[in-house]
Amino acid sequence: MTRAAGRDRLPAPALGLAVVAVAFFTLPFVGLLWRTPWGDAWGVLSQPAVRQALRLSVVCSLWATGLSLLFGVPLAWLLARVDFRGRSVVRAMCTLSMVLPPVVGGVALFFALGRRGLFGQYLDRWFGVRLPFSTAAVVVAQTFVAMPFLVLTVEGALRQMDRRYDDAARTLGASRWYAFRRVTLPAARPAVIAGVVLAWARALGEFGATITFAGNFPGRTRTIPLSTYLALQSSPDEALILSLLLIAVSFVVLVGLRDRWLGGIRAPAGAG
Amino acid sequence: MARTGYFATVIVAVIAASGLSACGGDARSGRSGALTVFAAASLTGAFTEIGEAFMEENPDVEVTFNFAASSELVTQITEGAPADVFASADRRNMDQLVEAERNDGEPAVFATNSLAIILEPGNPQEITGLADLADPDLIVVSCDPAVPIGAYTEEVLGNAGVDAEFDSFEEDVKAIVTKVTAGEADAGIVYATDVTAAGDDAAGVEIPADVNITAEYPIVAVADAPNGDGAGAWIGLVAGDAGQEILATYGFGSP
């Protein structure tokens, strides 16, 4: 109940396995750091092309996160709180892109939203909108792979939450929408933040669906992961520095938000 | 119907491509029985058929391929991918392998190729030559200059004095072909052999000889190859009459 209960002592075998897991995640990054030519770092990072890719990465991933938040929270709520036939099928559909190889996701987006795609042909014919090879396509690809992380996180929290608070609000005369905004959402806030962070990190690192669906053009669709892939072929040193840039940005955010989000999730569970 | 067939082909191609590149780091045992050939993406059709001929001659050897951009293959090999043979679509990437001392013996040119413009079937945009590629309304795709086809394309456009408006730089030449045959791009510059291989899924426009280039494909055994013996046999087959005949059916020239 109280957090002052102190540290749990893990049994030795579990501790050993946990340490192996930590090493498994840490070693590749140590390898990266070891091979990185630090002297070149500033030279690479100050290239206009790199800054352009970084700016594009940040802008697109924020858009993708925003869209994931806008559509993902209602979707999570639907999946967690509404009983309807075929719910598990809907949930599987909406999270399929998490497990799909991203390149296949990109191909699928092509067949749906591309210029000759199932729906894309009408976008083109009726509105003159052509998604592929545009910055919007990067956002679409990133949202496609990132949103499920937010949906699953928020859905899990909504399921665990005590529904009686909502019911109480409703019996006190709150409308469904009011109860959702003022009771459900605030209680789920830590999970929403966690989901946002996960979705954003996934969007920032997205490669396969982006290069397949949005292509690769400097300033328009070439994000940092695409630059990294490209640099790997011509100058691996530059690729190392670029990937470290991505890692550093993600790491800072993950470390910065983790305590807050774990601490927050505990509170409602403890209250219930 | 044709659409389903195309869909299946793309899915299979994509899965195969991602699977193969992922297997690039797969450690093969030193025993004979496996021969790993790293080859430029444009060699996909010809080498696959040569592989069948090779396995007919050597029933105990299992040939596996890694087809990708030559530049990517060089990176993989210099990082220690267990390749036996490397066939590049240009001399520059082969030189990088030699520079990294990952070659066993001198590279030898075994095939030549030229460039052509690939278009949607029926050429709906009525593209007649390189000059049309400067039209900003067209979706034209290429590769980064690190990839052989990207460098060759720059050279050809330079020769023709055309400033093409590209919309995307794909991973390798096969990705250019896919974008055009899928109808997402209007045109791309690829190898003449790729237009032949695309068959009815694409149309082609020749690039005049005075601005075109001759792409030379060198091949070499990789240093410390897990199957050095098989590597020698493969290079012998490719350079020999049987291999050259197969390459010719795919539109490659002899060195």
Side-chain angles (χ1 to χ4, degrees):
Chain A
M1 195 55 220
T2 48
R3 310 180 76 188
R7 288 167 204 167
D8 288 333
R9 283 205 152 242
L10 268 186
L15 186 65
L17 292 172
V19 168
V20 170
V22 171
F24 175 69
F25 286 116
T26 311
L27 278 180
F29 297 110
V30 175
L32 261 179
L33 292 172
W34 170 64
R35 281 283 293 268
T36 301
W38 292 102
D40 304 345
W42 184 246
V44 169
L45 294 180
S46 55
Q47 286 171 20
V50 171
R51 302 213 159 172
Q52 192 180 43
L54 182 63
R55 200 176 318 127
L56 191 70
S57 267
V58 169
V59 169
C60 290
S61 61
L62 287 179
W63 266 101
T65 311
L67 289 173
S68 299
L69 186 66
L70 179 66
F71 293 99
V73 172
L75 175 60
W77 184 74
L78 176 80
L79 293 174
R81 291 287 170 87
V82 183
D83 273 315
F84 59 97
R85 271 161 62 96
R87 179 162 68 168
S88 53
V89 176
V90 172
R91 182 189 294 113
M93 269 323 296
C94 296
T95 47
L96 203 56
S97 65
M98 272 175 95
V99 287
L100 212 61
V103 180
V104 178
V107 172
L109 284 172
F110 246 134
F111 292 140
L113 302 173
R115 192 163 59 145
R116 300 278 186 276
L118 196 55
F119 304 105
Q121 54 181 309
Y122 300 106
L123 284 179
D124 187 13
R125 212 176 298 162
W126 294 344
F127 308 107
V129 173
R130 290 178 181 178
L131 272 182
F133 309 116
S134 68
T135 305
V138 179
V139 175
V140 170
Q142 290 182 346
T143 309
F144 184 68
V145 294
M147 202 198 303
F149 288 86
L150 184 136
V151 172
L152 287 189
T153 312
V154 176
E155 191 206 341
L158 288 177
R159 277 179 181 284
Q160 283 178 0
M161 231 157 37
D162 198 331
R163 290 185 73 156
R164 281 174 301 180
Y165 293 119
D166 296 25
D167 296 340
R170 298 270 292 134
T171 51
L172 291 173
S175 71
R176 210 177 276 278
W177 173 237
Y178 187 87
F180 174 66
R181 263 188 320 130
R182 300 303 293 270
V183 179
T184 318
L185 264 192
R189 205 183 59 174
V192 173
I193 292 174
V196 160
V197 171
L198 281 176
W200 175 76
R202 181 68 189 82
L204 191 68
E206 162 48 7
F207 170 77
T210 307
I211 199 166
T212 314
F213 181 57
N216 172 12
F217 191 84
R220 204 183 304 155
T221 59
R222 184 178 296 165
T223 54
I224 288 284
L226 270 62
S227 309
T228 308
Y229 170 77
L230 211 62
L232 206 51
Q233 301 185 24
S234 47
S235 63
D237 284 354
E238 195 179 320
L240 284 174
I241 293 166
L242 288 176
S243 48
L244 269 181
L245 176 67
L246 209 59
I247 290 169
V249 173
S250 310
F251 190 71
V252 166
V253 172
L254 288 176
V255 169
L257 281 164
R258 185 159 171 86
D259 285 336
R260 177 170 176 177
W261 128 43
L262 262 191
I265 272 179
R266 237 176 239 181
Chain B
M1 192 57 213
R3 196 112 209 123
T4 335
Y6 167 72
F7 180 89
T9 320
V10 171
I11 289 286
V12 167
V14 163
I15 292 173
S18 52
L20 281 172
S21 45
C23 290
D26 191 7
R28 287 230 172 253
S29 73
R31 282 184 294 126
S32 69
L35 178 70
T36 310
V37 178
F38 278 35
S42 46
L43 290 166
T44 305
F47 264 31
T48 306
E49 193 174 328
I50 292 176
E52 282 160 19
F54 187 88
M55 284 190 275
E56 232 164 74
E57 269 178 43
N58 311 275
D60 293 334
V61 179
E62 171 89 32
V63 183
T64 50
F65 295 102
N66 182 7
F67 295 114
S70 305
S71 46
E72 187 177 347
L73 296 173
V74 170
T75 307
Q76 290 176 3
I77 297 173
T78 50
E79 289 301 323
D84 296 304
V85 179
F86 171 55
S88 171
D90 67 358
R91 288 178 179 276
R92 197 169 42 109
N93 282 290
M94 183 58 86
D95 288 347
Q96 287 189 5
L97 188 88
V98 173
E99 216 169 280
E101 295 177 352
R102 292 289 287 133
N103 61 312
D104 182 11
E106 280 300 302
V109 173
F110 67 96
T112 62
N113 211 340
S114 59
L115 302 197
I117 304 173
I118 190 167
L119 309 158
E120 280 189 85
N123 192 2
Q125 306 286 345
E126 295 171 3
I127 292 162
T128 54
L130 290 170
D132 292 327
L133 303 186
D135 180 354
D137 290 338
L138 290 181
I139 296 177
V140 185
V141 292
S142 183
C143 281
D144 187 81
V147 181
I149 189 67
Y152 289 139
T153 296
E154 275 195 346
E155 205 179 327
V156 163
L157 290 172
N159 291 345
V162 172
D163 199 4
E165 289 268 346
F166 291 116
D167 292 275
S168 178
F169 297 99
E170 303 292 315
E171 306 100 286
D172 58 31
V173 68
K174 289 292 172 202
I176 302 179
V177 173
T178 307
K179 288 288 195 312
V180 173
T181 54
E184 294 302 338
D186 296 309
I189 296 179
V190 296
Y191 298 105
T193 52
D194 292 310
V195 178
T196 315
D200 293 341
D201 292 333
V205 170
E206 281 182 27
I207 294 173
D210 57 327
V211 294
N212 213 328
I213 51 91
T214 302
E216 292 182 311
Y217 285 62
I219 192 168
V220 78
V222 175
D224 311 318
N227 191 348
D229 181 42
W234 177 270
I235 294 170
L237 175 63
V238 168
D241 290 344
Q244 289 294 310
E245 218 168 88
I246 294 172
L247 283 162
T249 63
Y250 283 86
F252 288 94
S254 297

